[in-house]
Amino acid sequence: MLSTPRIRSFLLCVRSMRIPAPILVLLICGSLAAAPEGASAAPLFVAGVSFDVGSGPNSVAVGDLNSDGKPDIVTANAFSDSVSVLLGNADATFQPKVDYAAGSYTFAATIGDVNGDGRMDVVTVNLHDISVLLGNGDGTLQAMVNYPSELSAYSVRIGDLSGDGIPDIATANFFSTSVSVFVGNGDGTFQGKVDYETGTQPYAAVIGDVSGDGKADLVVANSVAGTIGVLLGNAEGTLEPMVEYATGLNPYHVAIGDVSGDGKPDVVAACNGSVVASVLLGNGDGTFQPRVNYGTGNYPTYIAIADVSEDGKPDLVTVNDFPDRTFSVLKGNGDGTFQTKVDYGAGSLPVSIAVEDVTGDGHRDLVTANFGADAVLVLLGNGDGTFRAKKDYATGAGPRSLAVGDLTGDGILDLATADETANNVSVLVGTGTGSFAPKVDSRVGFVPRGIAIADVSRDGVPDVVTANNGSNTVSVLRGNGNGTFQPKLDYATADGPRAVAIGDLNGDGNPDLATATSLFGSGTVSVFFGNGDGTFQPRVDHVTSGPSAALVIGDVNGDGRPDIVNATYADAISVFLSNGDGTFQPRLDSAGGVFPNSVVVLDVNGDGKPDAITSNGGNNTVSVLLGNGDGTFLDTAQHYGVGWNPSWIAAGDVSGDGKADIALANTGASTVSVLLGNGDGTFQTKIDYGTDVDPNSVAIGDVNGDGALDIVTIGVIPNTASILLNVGNGSAALTAGLILQPDPLRLTGQNPWITAYIEPVGFDAVSIDVSSLRLAGSVPAAPKLSRVGDKDGNGIPELQVRFSRQALEPLLSPGVNVIQVTGSLLTGAEFAGSDEIRVIPSAHGPLASSVAPNPLNPSGVLTFRTSSPGPVQVTMFDLRGRLIRTLMEVPSLEPGVHEVRIDGRGERGRPLGSGVYFYRIKTADGLDTGRIIVLK
């Protein structure tokens, strides 16, 4: 189907990279293998987390399908003709997908209650029809019911276009240059479509009242014409002819919202051809001002309006397709203008986005469908417009492999990358906090592909060795002890060296080198015996079972002599057992995975016998070969699904439980897969984390000194090293002193803030991530009102920060309360502190009200207390101050605690859209107000 967005993404790749058509077909076909299902574990690292879905996910939607108050995820899967449902655990994890058949080539999906039973349903648009899957209220869906549609409709939306209070469906039909409206009957069934001509190819549509007349309108993105089209709604549910407004080139998606704060709906569009977001401010009557464009990442395919910075000003978020594969966040200024974008990795071929709070922490997160990885990626929000993403550092051009070691002798890990395009080694000196100094380059041979760190000159200073695929050499860089090196020394290898390892292979105490090479279709391991001064003797070659991909040096038969284990493209591993004098026994071959790219050796089942693990690019797996203790392995390997085209493997105890875990760099999926070990040789289902585009190598080490192993990857296209800090284990949480003011606290006082003084124990106040702070478990800090100072004069600076009094008071009781503050450092390490505060109840007036749960999804309970009898009125308003609903109005109510049910609907029973609303309680005691967040 040349019309699918996935093919479109690869066509963009062809256009920019000049890939021949036959190779294009191989790229597409090779990307369709889906990873096995399995339970997800809690995320360990600071990065986007991926979850498997069906094949070719082309859109994503978020809503509560099982009515448990926790957001769930639905994807439309174009290549498996299905929707995938992932039920949320509200802790950034999701249950394994459950697939439901939808129509042929399921392009898009949306969530809403189309039959009025209070349960969320799913509607998809397919190649020839739309599919309605009614929800059972427990997270399961009924069998689809189809309605004929236009060929290759790309977008579907739910809204009341007929003005009868019943949800209708609208689709944007790219090939038929029209939009279709399916009027709902109120029971989950729909009337036949009514088409409205657009005259150009609409790629996406959105429903909203842009004219302010209370009638739903339709706005479409006309990708070929470079316009948005506005079809105003009539009272009888029909649409007026389309009026067009110019945008940037090729708008692919459109969103409606008041971005200028004037109470008039505006329109924004993601313009795939011109790398911009177009903002068209509304005049309030359905017409719009000329566009203003703002830069995004390359090829933005989807756009959302949401206040991700929580400053009351709407922001823009776009997801950008090939080659960037990023989210762009543009913070709003509140007047319809926006700040310069900030980008975050969005996984492999991201094509859709949802901005929702999937963790229940009150902060909006980003969810995208990764077409290239058959997954969804969740990027957690900090509440200030930033997200918990990897940290990137520039390397040389074309980083191919990575090594971690202390190159400066300060006890802190540094990074070294082999940059095959620049023909350099880039060294990034570590600071010990998880950050790194800018790179320093050193020249090596042509096209370096393998790298290793060790003291080969025996002077106490680490050196670097690279395997240079283009010049058929190894380069030895003798270290100066400060991250710089002496000029390279080159030694000839067999043709095409791909990897290098260092160890004492002849028992003379001097480090030796071994390289994996491919020689005229066969494979070769070349051994260079060291002289102990950083120089080496000419190589000795050993033939392997096939073209060599990678190798390691280790004692696999328990005789105390280092052996060589080589992964070959003959789907095997070759073992050369050492005689201890530099010679080797005839090689032993064992079946490995399909087309293995790398290998590690370690004891993963605790029997004292080294095992081997390979990453297999041929079938997107890792293979675990349990060792027999004599250099051979069990005949049957265990295979585990990972991301697309795993290129490199590393092993270490990243979970801190004493059991070996595995990390894989998935070049094709732009992710790292982590497989936690069970200690018996088996591993749990992978957890995926977003990385740079096309990561080629991965390493494990504690780069921030917190006792937990972190992950480092390198990406070819952006030429960066990415740091994923481990926040799931390590040493015990740090502690901090806490002083809260005012103390005592009188309820319903006038000061809107609670001030906290946080005094660190063993760390610096400036290293605290203010956005992570929570008081009493849920109350966030006000980052703009924070500063560092030494209030008590003891020489230890404290962080002074404020918390909302209105948010805290409902969590307190009269008397002494113990309140805890929790948070994390910029390195990811967590800390906690507590203080006692005495609460004095007010003699008059109601206690502060509260809503639980808040956000609503879709219902909750408003609780308040009165101390005097009298009339009570409880009302609800939107952000513009318009009355949404009167929740309670009684002539008299006795003193006490009262509850009001909020069902997520407005005055006429219409479901409220996602957003921020306000309630007001008017009693004989006075007024009280609060905020309600509605999520859909």
Side-chain angles (χ1 to χ4, degrees):
M1 285 298 301
L2 291 178
S3 61
T4 67
R6 187 168 197 178
I7 306 302
R8 173 185 52 77
S9 296
F10 277 101
L11 288 175
L12 294 175
C13 175
V14 172
R15 184 174 67 185
S16 61
M17 300 177 64
R18 304 179 185 272
I19 298 177
I23 298 180
L24 171 64
V25 174
L26 291 176
L27 285 171
I28 296 170
C29 296
S31 66
L32 302 186
E37 299 180 24
S40 298
L44 292 172
F45 295 92
V46 181
V49 187
S50 293
F51 302 91
D52 292 335
V53 295
S55 181
N58 198 56
S59 77
V60 64
V62 175
D64 184 7
L65 291 174
N66 59 353
S67 304
D68 63 353
K70 303 170 184 176
D72 310 308
I73 291 176
V74 173
T75 64
N77 309 314
F79 291 162
S80 57
D81 302 338
S82 67
V83 292
S84 293
V85 175
L86 293 82
L87 297 181
N89 300 318
D91 61 354
T93 66
F94 292 83
Q95 299 176 32
K97 71 181 178 74
V98 177
D99 291 337
Y100 296 88
S104 177
Y105 290 99
T106 307
F107 289 126
T110 188
I111 297 173
D113 180 11
V114 298
N115 61 351
D117 64 356
R119 303 167 182 171
M120 291 294 104
D121 311 306
V122 174
V123 179
T124 71
V125 65
N126 317 306
L127 185 61
H128 299 289
D129 48 38
I130 62 170
S131 297
V132 178
L133 296 84
L134 297 180
N136 296 315
D138 58 359
T140 63
L141 302 175
Q142 299 177 30
M144 64 180 174
V145 177
N146 292 337
Y147 298 85
S149 179
E150 292 294 331
L151 175 67
S152 293
Y154 282 162
S155 174
V156 61
R157 286 291 182 268
I158 298 173
D160 181 13
L161 285 166
S162 56
D164 58 1
I166 298 173
D168 310 309
I169 295 173
T171 65
N173 312 316
F174 185 81
F175 281 149
S176 63
T177 64
S178 66
V179 292
S180 297
V181 175
F182 299 78
V183 174
N185 297 316
D187 58 359
T189 65
F190 294 84
Q191 301 173 31
K193 68 183 177 69
V194 178
D195 294 335
Y196 296 87
E197 183 64 31
T198 60
T200 185
Q201 288 84 357
Y203 201 92
V206 64
I207 298 172
D209 180 11
V210 298
S211 60
D213 61 359
K215 305 167 189 174
D217 309 309
L218 194 64
V219 179
V220 298
N222 300 316
S223 61
V224 175
T227 65
I228 62 147
V230 179
L231 294 85
L232 298 179
N234 295 314
E236 66 274 16
T238 61
L239 300 174
E240 296 183 9
M242 184 178 73
V243 178
E244 292 185 84
Y245 298 86
T247 66
L249 294 177
N250 302 122
Y252 268 38
H253 190 256
V254 63
I256 298 174
D258 180 11
V259 300
S260 59
D262 61 358
K264 303 171 184 176
D266 310 307
V267 171
V268 298
C271 300
N272 186 271
S274 51
V275 195
V276 299
S278 289
V279 177
L280 293 84
L281 299 182
N283 297 317
D285 58 358
T287 65
F288 295 87
Q289 300 174 32
R291 73 179 186 270
V292 177
N293 290 339
Y294 296 87
T296 67
N298 283 292
Y299 298 110
T301 59
Y302 209 93
I303 192 167
I305 300 173
D307 181 13
V308 295
S309 55
E310 299 182 11
D311 59 359
K313 303 170 185 176
D315 310 308
L316 301 183
V317 184
T318 68
V319 65
N320 312 308
D321 204 341
F322 187 88
D324 288 13
R325 307 174 191 177
T326 57
F327 297 110
S328 291
V329 177
L330 293 79
K331 287 189 178 182
N333 297 317
D335 57 359
T337 65
F338 295 87
Q339 301 174 29
T340 303
K341 71 180 178 75
V342 177
D343 291 339
Y344 299 87
S348 180
L349 297 184
V351 292
S352 178
I353 188 175
V355 183
E356 303 287 351
D357 176 14
V358 300
T359 62
D361 63 357
H363 302 318
R364 293 194 173 189
D365 312 305
L366 305 183
V367 184
T368 190
N370 286 147
F371 204 100
D374 295 339
V376 293
L377 181 138
V378 179
L379 198 63
L380 303 182
N382 296 317
D384 59 357
T386 65
F387 294 85
R388 301 174 207 177
K390 58 189 171 61
K391 297 182 179 180
D392 294 338
Y393 298 88
T395 68
R400 174 60 64 172
S401 60
L402 167 72
V404 176
D406 180 11
L407 292 169
T408 59
D410 59 0
I412 297 171
L413 291 181
D414 311 305
L415 309 180
T417 65
D419 308 325
E420 69 173 7
T421 303
N423 303 319
N424 286 334
V425 163
S426 293
V427 171
L428 293 82
V429 174
T431 65
T433 64
S435 62
F436 293 84
K439 69 182 179 72
V440 176
D441 294 334
S442 298
R443 203 66 167 172
V444 292
F446 189 51
V447 190
R449 287 198 168 178
I451 191 169
I453 297 174
D455 180 11
V456 298
S457 56
R458 298 188 65 186
D459 59 358
V461 176
D463 311 304
V464 169
V465 181
T466 64
N468 310 312
N469 188 264
S471 57
N472 300 327
T473 61
V474 289
S475 293
V476 178
L477 299 174
R478 289 172 291 184
N480 296 319
N482 60 358
T484 65
F485 301 90
Q486 300 175 35
K488 66 183 177 71
L489 299 174
D490 288 340
Y491 297 87
T493 69
D495 286 350
R498 300 177 59 87
V500 62
I502 302 173
D504 182 8
L505 293 169
N506 60 358
D508 64 355
N510 297 326
D512 309 310
L513 307 180
T515 63
T517 63
S518 56
L519 178 61
F520 303 119
S522 63
T524 303
V525 167
S526 297
V527 175
F528 302 79
F529 295 114
N531 298 316
D533 58 358
T535 64
F536 293 85
Q537 301 172 31
R539 75 179 193 266
V540 177
D541 291 340
H542 303 271
V543 177
T544 69
S545 57
S548 298
L551 82 170
V552 293
I553 295 175
D555 180 11
V556 294
N557 62 351
D559 64 357
R561 303 166 182 168
D563 311 306
I564 297 175
V565 181
N566 177 224
T568 75
Y569 289 142
D571 299 345
I573 59 174
S574 295
V575 176
F576 297 87
L577 295 178
S578 174
N579 294 317
D581 58 358
T583 63
F584 297 87
Q585 300 175 31
R587 77 169 193 263
L588 301 171
D589 293 334
S590 298
V594 180
F595 214 68
N597 283 322
S598 66
V599 60
V600 295
V601 173
L602 74 164
D603 180 12
V604 297
N605 62 353
D607 64 356
K609 304 171 184 177
D611 311 304
I613 306 173
T614 63
S615 61
N616 310 311
N619 60 357
N620 303 327
T621 64
V622 293
S623 297
V624 178
L625 295 82
L626 298 181
N628 295 315
D630 58 359
T632 64
F633 301 90
L634 295 180
D635 293 335
T636 303
Q638 300 179 62
H639 307 288
Y640 298 87
V642 292
W644 182 25
N645 191 19
S647 59
W648 203 259
I649 190 170
D653 181 15
V654 298
S655 60
D657 61 359
K659 303 168 185 175
D661 309 308
I662 302 171
L664 284 299
N666 303 310
T667 301
S670 299
T671 60
V672 163
S673 292
V674 176
L675 290 78
L676 300 181
N678 297 317
D680 58 0
T682 64
F683 291 83
Q684 300 175 31
T685 302
K686 70 181 176 77
I687 309 168
D688 287 339
Y689 299 88
T691 68
D692 279 324
V693 177
D694 297 337
N696 271 327
S697 185
V698 63
I700 293 175
D702 180 11
V703 299
N704 61 354
D706 65 353
L709 294 180
D710 310 304
I711 290 179
V712 184
T713 67
I714 51 174
V716 172
I717 291 179
N719 300 324
T720 56
S722 295
I723 314 299
L724 286 76
L725 294 177
N726 192 332
V727 295
N729 68 338
S731 56
L734 300 169
T735 60
L738 176 65
I739 298 176
L740 296 174
Q741 292 183 349
D743 184 11
L745 174 67
R746 186 176 297 277
L747 294 177
T748 66
Q750 298 301 311
N751 191 334
W753 301 108
I754 300 291
T755 302
Y757 297 90
I758 303 171
E759 184 173 278
V761 178
F763 59 96
D764 294 329
V766 294
S767 67
I768 295 175
D769 181 358
V770 178
S771 67
S772 71
L773 294 175
R774 294 295 180 272
L775 195 63
S778 62
V779 181
K784 295 181 180 179
L785 301 178
S786 63
R787 60 191 180 97
V788 174
D790 186 8
K791 177 178 174 60
D792 57 8
N794 65 350
I796 303 176
E798 308 100 1
L799 175 67
Q800 177 183 330
V801 64
R802 293 181 177 180
F803 297 86
S804 167
R805 181 174 183 147
Q806 183 182 18
L808 179 64
E809 284 188 353
L811 306 177
L812 303 178
S813 301
V816 176
N817 291 250
V818 177
I819 301 178
Q820 186 181 58
V821 65
T822 58
S824 61
L825 308 186
L826 295 174
T827 63
E830 298 178 349
F831 72 90
S834 61
D835 187 24
E836 291 185 352
I837 187 171
R838 187 163 62 92
V839 176
I840 302 174
S842 175
H844 301 284
L847 294 177
S849 53
S850 64
V851 176
N854 196 3
L856 308 181
N857 194 359
S859 62
V861 176
L862 168 62
T863 303
F864 65 96
R865 176 181 295 172
T866 58
S867 60
S868 303
V872 173
Q873 182 188 57
V874 182
T875 48
M876 188 172 174
F877 301 86
D878 64 12
L879 281 172
R880 303 179 197 174
R882 298 181 301 185
L883 178 66
I884 297 298
R885 189 173 183 180
T886 299
L887 300 172
M888 172 187 284
E889 189 165 21
V890 294
S892 181
L893 199 64
E894 294 300 314
V897 177
H898 311 286
E899 293 184 349
V900 179
R901 184 75 178 177
I902 304 174
D903 61 5
R905 296 178 180 272
E907 196 69 60
R908 292 192 294 172
R910 294 185 181 180
L912 297 176
S914 296
V916 178
Y917 300 84
F918 296 93
Y919 64 84
R920 183 175 70 174
I921 304 171
K922 183 177 181 180
T923 73
D925 298 312
L927 291 175
D928 192 23
T929 61
R931 185 175 70 168
I932 303 171
I933 300 175
V934 175
L935 293 182
K936 295 290 186 180

